[in-house]
Amino acid sequence: MISDITIGQYYSGNSVLHRMDARMKLILTFASIVAIFLCKNFFSLGLMVIFTVAATLLSCVPAKMVIKSLKPIIVILIFTAVLNIFYTTGGDTYFKWKFIEITEEGVNTAIFMAIRIVSLVVLSSLLTYTTTPTLLTDALERILSPLKVFKIKVHTLAMMMTLALRFIPTLIEEINRIMNAQKARGADLETGGIVARAKALIPIFIPLMISSFRRAYELAFAMTCRGYTGGEGRTRMKQMKLRVSDFIACAVVCALVGGIIALNIYFEAVI
Amino acid sequence: MTSAIEITGLSHYYNKGTPNEVAAIKNANLRIEKGELVAIIGHTGSGKSTLISHFNGLLKPDEGKVFVDGKDIWQSKESLRESRFKVGLCFQYPEYQLFEDTVFKDIAFGPKNMKLDDEEVKRRVLRAAQLAGVKPEHLDKSPFDLSGGEKRRAAIAGVMSMQPQVLVFDEPAAGLDPHARKQLIDMIKSYREQTGCTVIFVSHSMEDVAYLADRIIVINQAEIAMQGSVSEVFSRGDELTSMGLNVPEITRIFLMLREKGYDVPKDVYTVGQAVPHIKRLMEGGRAI
Ligand SMILES: Nc1ncnc2c1ncn2[C@@H]1O[C@H](COP(=O)(O)OP(=O)(O)OP(=O)(O)O)[C@@H](O)[C@H]1O
Ligand SMILES: [Mg+2]
């Protein structure tokens, strides 16, 4: 059902990763995702995997949750692996039958791509598991704040994102409620062809739009009444502060990138 | 004769199997006879809406069975669909489900889904509009141009037009002013009188319950705590208070009068019942 979707999937806890400064976490996650694509051989890739596993263990998020975040990409994973095995050729041939040919390079590329995609998803979900959506957008706002010189309204963008995230559960609830009401009037949402189904969505979509607009107006009024005037001169209740542990984390990621580059130079590239 | 709705051993859990599992209704047994007008009361979060969503199969019971007109609704796909039309469910704030460009079309949504012919659909729409008190001149208007109370009536007509055997309201008068509230309650009363259908309603207003209901079902912390006639339930005022509920205001006034030594009965639940007693007292009948 719709309510199974988890967005802003924060897993509350008090691990090292949870306590880390959100800005640093965001930047380091980005850096380590870039590092994934720097790996050129199995040694550097191995280092990357060790880093990913270590980060997962440090976050104290149960392995079950992390694996759950991989569920939606299983199809993509299998698809890319299969494509790579069959379409990349080079090196020794392991298997050949008519036009199907499996080669060393094909297998290597498939393994590489699979591990890269998995680490990418795991690292980015670790970020959302250990950081609340509010903190995340807050961090994003601060990181992007230099863009203000280009007249980009960073604060407004961040506020829009915060509000959008905040209202996702509300909207899901609303959709459920409207769906139930229309089902009670005999609306059939499950059967029929594509056209029939698209048509069946109208009785859900229109009330949803109307109530969303109403909500948006109400929210805007409420914010105005509480003195919201945009980002200008707005102070924060929670100050973000970098601590020693954040610099240690930064050093670790720098070491990771350095290690990967060293291993790339030292060992032969396979991809 | 089969009961309109019968429920045996019904339990429903939200977020089953996760740390935030809540039992919204536990081991409920109840039977609602044809033609009855039943009120369901209980403090907020006690599980009333969850219970009534089982009446037409919107929620599937985790345990227990639901029978509509003697038939287990979860037996097959057809029996489930049948129950949607036999039991009309009118949710809290039903006006938020309006979507068509005219009131007429919106009321016709249910009957159209029943695959009735145009003639019959039109007949049902007009009948439902009349029962729900939708003004004929509003039928060609956009539902979004109506006032809050008028929208509510249009939405209720949208459920009535399916001509269900059982009509269920979840807090039908929520958010209406006293006058519109009175009109709506009277509308439900006359609907029952004109059609003879079974009516079930959830309410937080003990006055409305006393005025309308034949029987009351009290839900407390996901369990059915009491069932009985209006006087049976309201005579247990202390228990109701402990559940965060109350007896009608007029009953409380009469209990206070009794404490002061006036000779008045304690089983007075509506203003209508109270009038002759008050008149008698005013004519100088200080007792004992
Ligand atoms: N979709 C849902 N997911 C999780 N929990 C829910 C959901 N809907 C209701 N609940 C919980 O189930 C319990 C019963 O809810 P329900 O809506 O049936 O109460 P109610 O008696 O109708 O209350 P009210 O008088 O406020 O309408 C509540 O504790 C509520 O928090
Ligand atoms: Mg409710």
Side-chain angles (χ1 to χ4, degrees):
Chain A
M1 261 305 285
I2 287 185
S3 50
D4 294 339
I5 303 170
T6 50
I7 306 169
Q9 40 182 346
Y10 180 65
Y11 182 86
S12 58
N14 195 25
S15 71
V16 186
L17 287 195
H18 281 86
R19 277 174 289 151
M20 227 169 110
D21 185 277
R23 289 169 296 176
M24 191 58 103
K25 230 186 307 187
L26 194 64
I27 292 172
L28 293 186
T29 307
F30 187 71
S32 38
I33 285 174
V34 172
I36 295 174
F37 291 93
L38 290 180
C39 302
K40 290 271 178 270
N41 56 40
F42 282 108
F43 295 97
S44 47
L45 192 67
L47 185 63
M48 194 64 226
V49 170
I50 292 171
F51 173 80
T52 312
V53 172
T56 312
L57 291 180
L58 272 180
S59 72
C60 297
V61 175
K64 220 173 85 189
M65 296 272 294
V66 180
I67 291 169
K68 207 178 104 196
S69 68
L70 288 173
K71 241 194 205 157
I73 58 148
I74 283 178
V75 179
I76 303 176
L77 210 57
I78 294 173
F79 190 66
T80 46
V82 169
L83 270 187
N84 275 313
I85 285 186
F86 292 122
Y87 281 93
T88 318
T89 46
D92 299 341
T93 302
Y94 293 147
F95 179 85
K96 193 164 160 69
W97 180 73
K98 290 192 183 159
F99 58 92
I100 296 175
E101 191 180 8
I102 295 179
T103 63
E104 186 185 0
E105 219 163 274
V107 172
N108 283 349
T109 321
I111 295 175
F112 245 85
M113 284 317 282
I115 293 182
R116 276 177 174 171
I117 295 175
V118 170
S119 338
L120 189 138
V121 172
V122 169
L123 284 176
S124 44
S125 20
L126 277 186
L127 179 69
T128 50
Y129 276 137
T130 61
T131 324
T132 58
T134 339
L135 263 180
L136 209 55
T137 40
D138 208 4
L140 200 64
E141 179 182 348
R142 285 180 215 214
I143 292 171
L144 296 181
S145 62
L147 293 181
K148 271 183 201 146
V149 286
F150 301 115
K151 297 243 160 51
I152 294 176
K153 293 189 173 167
V154 181
H155 170 81
T156 315
L157 286 176
M159 180 57 85
M160 269 160 56
M161 255 167 74
T162 316
L163 291 180
L165 286 172
R166 154 68 186 77
F167 276 97
I168 286 170
T170 316
L171 283 183
I172 291 177
E173 213 173 87
E174 185 91 14
I175 293 175
N176 269 332
R177 219 182 39 226
I178 299 171
M179 262 166 66
N180 275 343
Q182 307 299 25
K183 270 199 224 158
R185 292 208 274 164
D188 186 1
L189 307 173
E190 274 111 31
T191 55
I194 280 191
V195 180
R197 279 198 195 201
K199 260 195 177 156
L201 286 181
I202 295 175
I204 311 231
F205 188 68
I206 291 178
L208 184 70
M209 286 310 281
I210 290 168
S211 77
S212 304
F213 276 114
R214 187 172 40 85
R215 242 183 247 286
Y217 274 116
E218 277 168 12
L219 185 73
F221 282 137
M223 283 170 76
T224 315
C225 291
R226 293 216 226 153
Y228 179 78
T229 51
E232 228 42 59
R234 196 157 178 254
T235 56
R236 289 170 193 282
M237 187 166 89
K238 284 194 186 136
Q239 294 295 329
M240 285 191 179
K241 238 202 211 130
L242 289 175
R243 290 177 311 169
V244 182
S245 54
D246 296 314
F247 290 106
I248 294 175
C250 184
V252 170
V253 175
C254 289
L256 171 79
V257 175
I260 286 174
I261 292 173
L263 286 170
N264 277 344
I265 297 171
Y266 198 77
F267 295 98
E268 201 184 330
V270 295
I271 192 166
Chain B
M1 201 171 80
T2 51
S3 310
I5 287 178
E6 187 179 349
I7 276 173
T8 54
L10 177 94
S11 300
H12 188 89
Y13 305 91
Y14 285 111
N15 306 321
K16 203 173 164 95
T18 70
N20 10 353
E21 175 175 311
V22 273
I25 196 86
K26 280 188 292 203
N27 192 24
N29 292 293
L30 63 87
R31 192 189 260 272
I32 289 164
E33 304 301 339
K34 286 188 180 149
E36 263 191 309
L37 208 168
V38 179
I40 298 179
I41 60 174
H43 64 85
T44 161
S46 55
K48 305 178 295 291
S49 301
T50 309
L51 177 67
I52 61 169
S53 303
H54 282 90
F55 291 172
N56 69 347
L58 280 180
L59 287 179
K60 188 168 184 175
D62 287 314
E63 288 151 27
K65 289 219 149 92
V66 181
F67 300 91
V68 171
D69 204 6
K71 246 198 210 159
D72 182 352
I73 62 169
W74 287 100
Q75 204 172 40
S76 66
K77 250 193 154 143
E78 290 71 47
S79 57
L80 181 64
R81 197 155 170 77
E82 214 173 287
S83 76
R84 293 272 157 84
F85 299 128
K86 276 189 183 163
V87 181
L89 205 58
C90 193
F91 283 94
Q92 208 172 350
Y93 298 105
E95 54 271 31
Y96 295 145
Q97 75 200 31
L98 296 168
F99 70 97
E100 282 283 13
D101 48 1
T102 69
V103 173
F104 184 96
K105 279 196 202 163
D106 205 279
I107 301 177
F109 181 65
K112 280 230 172 93
N113 284 327
M114 298 169 82
K115 314 256 182 309
L116 300 169
D117 58 63
D118 287 353
E119 199 66 15
E120 176 66 11
V121 169
K122 186 167 181 211
R123 232 174 37 90
R124 288 190 173 207
V125 170
L126 295 179
R127 169 95 175 118
Q130 177 239 326
L131 281 170
V134 177
K135 293 192 193 111
E137 65 265 29
H138 284 167
L139 285 176
D140 295 323
K141 271 194 173 180
S142 158
F144 304 108
D145 292 342
L146 303 183
S147 78
E150 289 163 350
K151 272 189 204 156
R152 171 105 26 125
R153 282 161 184 276
I156 291 175
V159 179
M160 286 179 174
S161 60
M162 301 196 303
Q163 303 197 340
Q165 296 170 7
V166 183
L167 189 53
V168 188
F169 293 100
D170 195 350
E171 297 187 39
L176 293 182
D177 68 77
H179 182 65
R181 173 180 202 101
K182 177 87 176 60
Q183 280 187 333
L184 197 94
I185 295 298
D186 281 331
M187 184 270 280
I188 296 178
K189 200 178 173 101
S190 78
Y191 170 81
R192 208 273 288 253
E193 278 157 12
Q194 287 186 43
T195 63
C197 288
T198 315
V199 175
I200 303 168
F201 74 106
V202 172
S203 179
H204 284 293
S205 156
M206 298 306 133
E207 283 71 33
D208 295 348
V209 170
Y211 179 66
L212 274 182
D214 304 328
R215 201 154 67 87
I216 303 181
I217 294 171
V218 184
I219 303 193
N220 185 37
Q221 295 185 347
E223 288 183 60
I224 295 185
M226 282 188 227
Q227 289 192 55
S229 68
V230 173
S231 51
E232 271 164 14
V233 169
F234 282 147
S235 64
R236 295 157 75 179
D238 292 341
E239 283 170 71
L240 287 178
T241 315
S242 73
M243 296 172 191
L245 298 168
N246 218 328
V247 295
E249 205 151 35
I250 193 77
T251 314
R252 259 177 292 154
I253 291 174
F254 267 55
L255 288 176
M256 275 188 250
L257 283 173
R258 274 173 76 87
E259 265 172 39
K260 291 225 152 92
Y262 290 96
D263 176 28
V264 289
K266 56 181 175 188
D267 56 347
V268 166
Y269 306 115
T270 61
V271 175
Q273 292 169 357
V275 170
H277 296 289
I278 301 279
K279 266 192 184 152
R280 183 167 52 79
L281 287 183
M282 304 245 297
E283 278 155 17
R286 171 137 208 174
I288 321 167

